[in-house]
Amino acid sequence: MIKSVIIPLDGSDLAVDALPLGKMIAQTHNADVHLVCVIANDAEASAEDKTRAYLEDIASDGEGNCRIHVRIGNAADEIVDAADEIDDGIIVMTTHGRTGIGRWLYGSVAEKVVHGAETPVLLIRSGTGLAGTDKINRIMVPLDGSAYSEGALRYGKSLASAFGGELLVVRVTETASLYTTMGYEAYGPTAGEPMADVVETMIRDNRKYIEKLVTELRDEGYTVEGSVLEGFAGEQIVQFEKTEKPDLVVMATHGRSGFDRLVFGSVAERVLKTGTTPVLMVRPSGVIEE
């Protein structure tokens, strides 16, 4: 499923943090590694040769089939275009680059790549690149019952198969949504119906969903555990991540209400901002961002 791993680099030590995990995924999938570096249109004449030499030096470590790409233009646009030209790939990159800690995901190259790429994007907080890890043992996959969110599960399954890892499938019962109308009209209490009964129905339905999914995955040969949480989805997912300490989170950029819940301003935004585990963001098939 993953035949190519695209690793954008910009010459900084922070960007290089993506290399260990990216190469590890490539090795387990027998995939090619594509090192991509973008230089500005107004760069000096020698920049291209220097950049090529920089990438060739990194590629010369002899680990797997490594290809280099030097592109000229806007960094985010060129990374997205490069990924579009490479079949069956994922992008593995850090959330910080040249400008370091002062430049978080928002307004950065990483944000623009997540928004613009149809290719899944694995984001690593700089300084936590799993350099000392030789496998991915536990993979957390948050789901909300929608086809959108389940688009990420196939990548979780692929990685679990490659590493012999365990899947942690999680669904949050968003009881806070009972006080809003965003996407949960089906659970709105009728006149005189106790709120506790509505909550109980939501939890019961979510447990049935997770239990069915766990059974199916185990029948397919996966090691899997299922959990149903209650509360605000972003907060509960981050807390579960901190408690269970998965090696990777795999989640979709869109959820239950589709176009209304994009990666930024959504559950995924909170996971990216406040969690510490690398996150593989998967755009569901057919979803186009404005």
Side-chain angles (χ1 to χ4, degrees):
M1 180 177 182
I2 298 173
K3 297 180 180 178
S4 305
V5 177
I6 302 118
I7 306 176
L9 301 171
D10 64 4
S12 70
D13 291 340
L14 291 168
V16 170
D17 281 347
L19 282 171
L21 182 54
K23 288 185 175 182
M24 185 170 63
I25 291 172
Q27 289 167 1
T28 57
H29 286 78
N30 195 27
D32 294 336
V33 173
H34 295 261
L35 304 178
V36 179
C37 196
V38 181
I39 57 178
N41 288 313
D42 58 355
E44 59 185 31
S46 61
E48 185 170 352
D49 289 340
K50 290 179 180 178
T51 300
R52 190 171 299 278
Y54 162 72
L55 293 179
E56 288 174 348
D57 181 59
I58 293 175
S60 65
D61 62 10
E63 296 181 8
N65 186 12
C66 197
R67 305 180 185 184
I68 65 173
H69 306 260
V70 179
R71 300 178 72 100
I72 301 173
N74 174 272
D77 291 343
E78 292 300 323
I79 292 167
V80 170
D81 288 347
D84 286 344
E85 296 166 7
I86 297 169
D87 293 334
D88 299 318
I90 65 169
I91 299 168
V92 180
M93 65 188 298
T94 57
T95 55
H96 300 79
R98 282 191 184 278
T99 52
I101 301 303
R103 192 169 176 184
W104 180 235
L105 189 62
Y106 303 94
S108 72
V109 172
E111 177 189 3
K112 294 172 184 175
V113 170
V114 171
H115 273 302
E118 294 185 8
T119 303
V121 183
L122 199 166
L123 293 170
I124 305 167
R125 285 89 174 158
S126 299
T128 60
L130 295 181
T133 302
D134 59 2
K135 67 176 295 187
I136 296 173
N137 294 299
R138 310 181 83 207
I139 301 165
M140 175 182 173
V141 186
L143 301 165
D144 68 6
S146 68
Y148 284 118
S149 72
E150 290 178 3
L153 183 57
R154 62 192 188 107
Y155 283 91
K157 291 165 65 175
S158 176
L159 289 159
S161 293
F163 287 97
E166 178 185 22
L167 287 169
L168 306 175
V169 291
V170 179
R171 183 166 181 181
V172 179
T173 304
E174 296 187 80
T175 49
S177 66
L178 291 172
Y179 302 98
T180 73
T181 59
M182 189 176 68
Y184 285 84
E185 294 87 348
Y187 286 106
T190 58
E193 184 179 7
M195 185 67 74
D197 291 349
V198 179
V199 171
E200 184 180 347
T201 298
M202 293 174 68
I203 294 173
R204 183 175 63 247
D205 288 350
N206 287 348
R207 283 179 178 160
K208 287 181 180 178
Y209 169 80
I210 287 294
E211 288 169 359
K212 181 175 182 292
L213 183 60
V214 166
T215 298
E216 292 172 351
L217 290 169
R218 287 177 178 167
D219 288 345
E220 294 175 24
Y222 293 97
T223 300
V224 57
E225 293 295 334
S227 297
V228 175
L229 311 175
E230 181 182 345
F232 289 99
E235 291 179 1
Q236 290 298 314
I237 291 169
V238 170
Q239 185 57 49
F240 185 89
E241 173 199 325
K242 291 178 178 177
T243 301
E244 297 296 326
K245 301 187 185 327
D247 299 304
L248 181 67
V249 176
V250 181
M251 64 188 303
T253 58
H254 295 66
R256 174 176 292 277
S257 54
F259 297 99
D260 292 334
R261 293 186 72 168
L262 304 179
V263 57
F264 301 100
S266 71
V267 173
E269 174 189 2
R270 186 171 185 86
V271 174
L272 286 168
K273 284 184 67 177
T274 61
T276 58
T277 305
V279 181
L280 177 61
M281 305 300 305
V282 180
R283 178 185 293 186
S285 176
V287 171
I288 300 173
E289 294 193 22
E290 297 296 333

